[in-house]
Amino acid sequence: MEVTIRGIGVSPGIAIGPTLTFGVQSFDIPKYEVKDVDAELARFERAVIAVRGELERLYERTAEAIGEEHADIFKAHLMFLEDVTLREEVERRVVDEHLNAEFLVGEWIARYTKIMASVPDMRFRERTQDLVDVGNRILGRLLNANVDGLDHMDQPSVVVAHDLSPSDAAKLDMTNTLGLATDLSGPTSHTAILARAFEIPAVVGLKFVGSHALPGDTIVVDGTNGVVVIRPNEKTLSRYTEERAREERSRKALLAAELRPSVTKDGHKVPTQANIELPLELSHSLKSKAQGIGLYRTEYLFLNRTTLPTEEEQYEAYSEAAKAMTPAPVTLRTLDLGGDKFVSHLHLAQEINPQLGWRAIRFCLERPDIFKAQLRAMFRASVHGHVQIMFPLISGLDEFLRVKDIVREVAADLEKRGVPFKKKIPIGTMIEVPSAVEVADLLAKECDFFSIGTNDLIQYSLAVDRVNEKIAHMYEPGHPAVLRMIRRTIKAAGTAKIPCAVCGEMAGDPVFTELLIGLGITSLSMSAVAIPAVRAEIASVRYHADGFRRGDSRDAA
Ligand code: PEP
Ligand code: MG
């Protein structure tokens, strides 16, 4: 029977396709007595062999596509597959207790997941997590369900999950992911941001989709209206099929208009730039005629791997962006891990309030080894284009001055070693913590630019967790408190004569374009896909109100 569930539409468009469930929570694992023990052992062995093949393919494919260092995780999983703990236990119990293999694998996973939650030793936890991941793959094979096929899918599918971390989302086989539907999460979670970046219709905060949609079920994801329909009847299906064709036509029309310059009716320039997470997105930015990269979320280079990226790898990635966009600027943001983005081998995850915890610049200041390597890579990449560097989660002047000291140290070290880099790299800060707004006048004197991160600024000023679907209705970009903070930040930047961009999701929502221009924003940075609509909006408004001199209305505000 058709089931309709409402959630939060976070990436527009309509997707229709078979369900691919991710994660084991939505599977019913049967328990039954096996009569033919040998046949059951052979079935288990076939599942293990299939998983081995799957992991080998994943290793090769990932190494080829994005490099061996990203593929290492699959090598580790192959090692765990050969680990005897799981296999020995399942085989022994099939023989002794005549129970079916999936039930035994399921029990094993449940037991290890429990152990994992109770053990404080992080190294042990990580090893257990890898074992559990491998166990899930075997379970998926035994159940004929794709438990973790995010990296490669056999056919175009809609991914349904209870939750999807940004690392999981970054692993998605983007060419085969038609849509996304998750029980948890909010509109500015990084998973939602990635879905928008790759133009994948997505609905989050659905609460029950993980338990209603079964593997293979036809499912409709209406990311525009925040609705999913599981097992749609014929009438619903044809309605959504028509709607999907209509949306596709209007998207094409909008793209055709994208060459429009990013200028208001009366000639005021508001450059529109792209936010990127993965190097893959550079081509989207070029296609959308982005006037630079306003935010490169470099932490994505650190996800889904078992070791840190080397300075050399980072240098390559940043240089690629600088070259691709030259002469337009590329704003590299230093590592912003924590919050909803974790790297297990850096031991960041276990905090009660991760969004308020040891994240972003706080982490970097305590790990100068990691921070300096990243800064060196950025400095070195500067010779290939117009590189700017900015820092996330700055909450006060002292913190920023400490950052600048380290920047100076890195520059001096490179200079001493004769490593080439540009001497005048603009250094800026994100304004995304209310305390930074309060001291924006002081920060402005120390930097070359501001970029307002509205995603976090809204979260912290309204005390609304950006990834919590239960309070997503309270996450209001248009809240007067937020608008006042933006206005104050822009004023402080104006007084110090430095530019002030917005790079949070608000910048990509045409509803706020006119308002942000009116407040005096100097550029907007967003998912590349949002650029055409925002440009159309910019082209439809005037910057100077009739009868006002430039700046009058803003100064009075
Ligand atoms: C923001 O907080 O607005 C921002 C752009 O950074 P992120 O979404 O990566 O936290
Ligand atoms: Mg942020």
Side-chain angles (χ1 to χ4, degrees), residues 271-274 282 290-296 321-322 324-332 385-389 426 449 523 525:
T272 36
Q273 302 182 319
L282 279 171
Q291 293 159 291
I293 303 295
L295 167 63
Y296 190 149
M325 301 309 295
T326 199
V330 171
T331 312
L332 302 171
H386 180 169
V387 164
Q388 316 196 117
I389 302 178
F449 66 92
S523 62
S525 192

Side-chain angles (χ1 to χ4, degrees), residues 188 190 193 275 295 297 299-300 333 336 340-341 359 430-432 452-457 466 475 503-505:
T188 58
H190 287 94
I193 289 171
N275 292 351
L295 167 63
R297 290 185 166 97
E299 54 277 7
Y300 278 82
R333 179 178 73 183
D336 187 4
D340 64 343
K341 288 168 293 198
R359 55 169 288 210
M430 293 196 67
I431 301 288
E432 53 183 350
I452 305 178
T454 48
N455 303 340
D456 277 320
L457 187 60
R466 63 193 267 193
Y475 190 92
C503 66
E505 293 306 291

Side-chain angles (χ1 to χ4, degrees), residues 22-23 25 129 133 148 150 159-172 174 180-186 189-195 204 278 300 303-305 338-344 349 467:
F22 171 68
Q25 67 288 330
Q129 178 61 58
D133 284 350
D148 180 358
L150 295 186
V159 174
V160 171
H162 182 60
D163 194 14
L164 203 61
S165 71
S167 333
D168 292 331
K171 265 197 289 185
L172 281 172
M174 298 296 182
L180 279 182
T182 65
D183 286 343
L184 305 183
S185 201
S189 69
H190 287 94
T191 299
I193 289 171
L194 267 189
V204 301
L278 302 165
Y300 278 82
L303 300 182
N304 293 322
R305 45 185 299 155
D340 64 343
K341 288 168 293 198
F342 298 114
V343 176
S344 62
V467 297

Side-chain angles (χ1 to χ4, degrees), residues 103-373:
F103 175 74
L104 297 172
V105 175
E107 273 210 339
W108 185 93
I109 291 172
R111 202 172 67 246
Y112 267 78
T113 307
K114 222 167 164 182
I115 294 174
M116 193 162 63
S118 65
V119 174
D121 180 341
M122 289 300 296
R123 293 200 177 272
F124 183 78
R125 290 168 83 125
E126 282 154 26
R127 192 185 122 83
T128 315
Q129 178 61 58
D130 284 329
L131 275 170
V132 167
D133 284 350
V134 171
N136 279 334
R137 278 189 191 277
I138 301 174
L139 186 60
R141 284 284 162 177
L142 289 165
L143 289 169
N144 255 343
N146 201 342
V147 175
D148 180 358
L150 295 186
D151 335 65
H152 89 104
M153 299 175 192
D154 295 334
Q155 57 170 338
S157 308
V158 171
V159 174
V160 171
H162 182 60
D163 194 14
L164 203 61
S165 71
S167 333
D168 292 331
K171 265 197 289 185
L172 281 172
D173 173 354
M174 298 296 182
T175 46
N176 276 323
T177 304
L178 299 173
L180 279 182
T182 65
D183 286 343
L184 305 183
S185 201
T188 58
S189 69
H190 287 94
T191 299
I193 289 171
L194 267 189
R196 278 194 289 280
F198 284 89
E199 300 182 39
I200 296 168
V203 182
V204 301
L206 286 154
K207 298 187 180 79
F208 318 110
V209 72
S211 46
H212 277 81
L214 300 174
D217 273 352
T218 298
I219 183 168
V220 176
V221 173
D222 176 354
T224 312
N225 296 301
V227 173
V228 302
V229 186
I230 303 161
R231 298 178 288 277
N233 61 35
E234 242 174 67
K235 207 165 131 214
T236 310
L237 198 57
S238 75
R239 180 162 62 80
Y240 274 111
T241 307
E242 277 170 32
E243 185 58 27
R244 183 175 59 180
R246 227 184 342 265
E247 286 210 352
E248 185 57 19
R249 281 195 298 274
S250 60
R251 205 178 64 86
K252 282 200 176 129
L254 204 54
L255 262 179
E258 101 196 13
L259 289 175
R260 209 192 304 259
S262 215
V263 171
T264 62
K265 265 185 181 166
D266 51 341
H268 178 70
K269 290 183 187 153
V270 185
T272 36
Q273 302 182 319
N275 292 351
I276 64 167
E277 287 74 31
L278 302 165
L280 211 64
E281 289 171 77
L282 279 171
S283 59
H284 301 196
S285 313
L286 292 168
K287 203 172 83 191
S288 298
K289 302 281 184 287
Q291 293 159 291
I293 303 295
L295 167 63
Y296 190 149
R297 290 185 166 97
T298 61
E299 54 277 7
Y300 278 82
L301 300 172
F302 290 67
L303 300 182
N304 293 322
R305 45 185 299 155
T306 50
T307 54
L308 288 168
T310 61
E311 178 185 324
E312 217 47 41
E313 285 168 47
Q314 294 187 67
Y315 164 72
E316 291 295 332
Y318 307 150
S319 302
E320 184 190 350
K323 283 180 202 160
M325 301 309 295
T326 199
V330 171
T331 312
L332 302 171
R333 179 178 73 183
T334 57
L335 192 57
D336 187 4
L337 284 175
D340 64 343
K341 288 168 293 198
F342 298 114
V343 176
S344 62
H345 59 93
L346 285 178
H347 304 178
L348 268 166
Q350 303 305 312
E351 293 186 318
I352 293 176
N353 283 318
Q355 300 280 7
L356 301 178
W358 194 44
R359 55 169 288 210
I361 200 66
R362 301 164 183 188
F363 169 80
C364 285
L365 284 172
E366 286 192 34
R367 287 297 304 264
D369 52 331
I370 297 175
F371 193 34
K372 284 182 179 173

